[in-house]
Amino acid sequence: MEHNNKFEYTYSAADQTELELIRKKYLPRVETKQERIRRLDRSVTNRACAIAIMIGLIGTLTMGFGMCLCMEWRYYVAGICIGILGIGMILLAYPAYQKFLNIQRAKIAPKILQLYDDLTTETQKSEID
């Protein structure tokens, strides 16, 4: 009778990576400072974009209503005036975006700068050690 006490192990980096990804799904989510900076920056941009889209959409609908007045009901003067108002709203969408973006960035700047300073000091400390 022969005893074979041999241990065999196969390691696959791809399998290990896949297992780590699955494991991360079930761990509690901890937001890093870098992720928080990205989230704050995205939220400012997304809010400004939503405001600009709403203004542009209302302007487009107003212009369309003015066109409808002209083409369907033959109220040319009222239709042209309402259409010009809608065009003006469309043209104001981008400046409104810029203005709202600058206001929101000014509000959130201290938080982002503080997080950035914390990150850079942590990085410098880890480089020294």
Side-chain angles (χ1 to χ4, degrees):
M1 183 184 264
E2 189 177 319
H3 293 287
N4 190 359
N5 293 336
K6 196 164 142 185
F7 178 74
E8 289 186 31
Y9 178 75
T10 57
Y11 174 78
S12 171
D15 290 342
Q16 188 67 26
T17 304
E18 181 183 0
L19 291 173
E20 281 296 319
L21 290 173
I22 293 171
R23 180 179 173 268
K24 285 180 184 179
K25 289 179 187 178
Y26 294 96
L27 290 175
R29 180 81 174 115
V30 178
E31 186 177 55
T32 65
K33 290 180 181 178
Q34 189 174 11
E35 289 171 339
R36 186 161 184 217
I37 289 174
R38 286 184 187 132
R39 182 180 52 81
L40 290 171
D41 184 50
R42 270 194 318 267
S43 71
V44 167
T45 306
N46 289 344
R47 287 180 189 161
C49 188
I51 295 292
I53 288 172
M54 285 191 307
I55 292 172
L57 182 63
I58 292 169
T60 302
L61 291 172
T62 304
M63 185 182 71
F65 180 66
M67 289 173 58
C68 181
L69 284 175
C70 286
M71 295 184 344
E72 291 295 323
W73 296 314
R74 309 283 188 232
Y75 294 122
Y76 294 110
V77 175
I80 290 172
C81 291
I82 292 174
I84 290 172
L85 178 69
I87 291 171
M89 289 178 72
I90 293 169
L91 292 175
L92 286 176
Y94 185 70
Y97 168 79
Q98 289 294 325
K99 182 71 174 171
F100 192 76
L101 186 66
N102 291 335
I103 290 170
Q104 290 299 312
R105 281 185 177 164
K107 285 182 183 178
I108 204 137
K111 288 181 186 176
I112 289 182
L113 293 176
Q114 179 62 41
L115 287 169
Y116 175 78
D117 291 341
D118 292 346
L119 276 174
T120 54
T121 55
E122 287 175 9
T123 304
Q124 289 172 353
K125 284 181 183 178
S126 66
E127 288 176 359
I128 292 172
D129 295 338

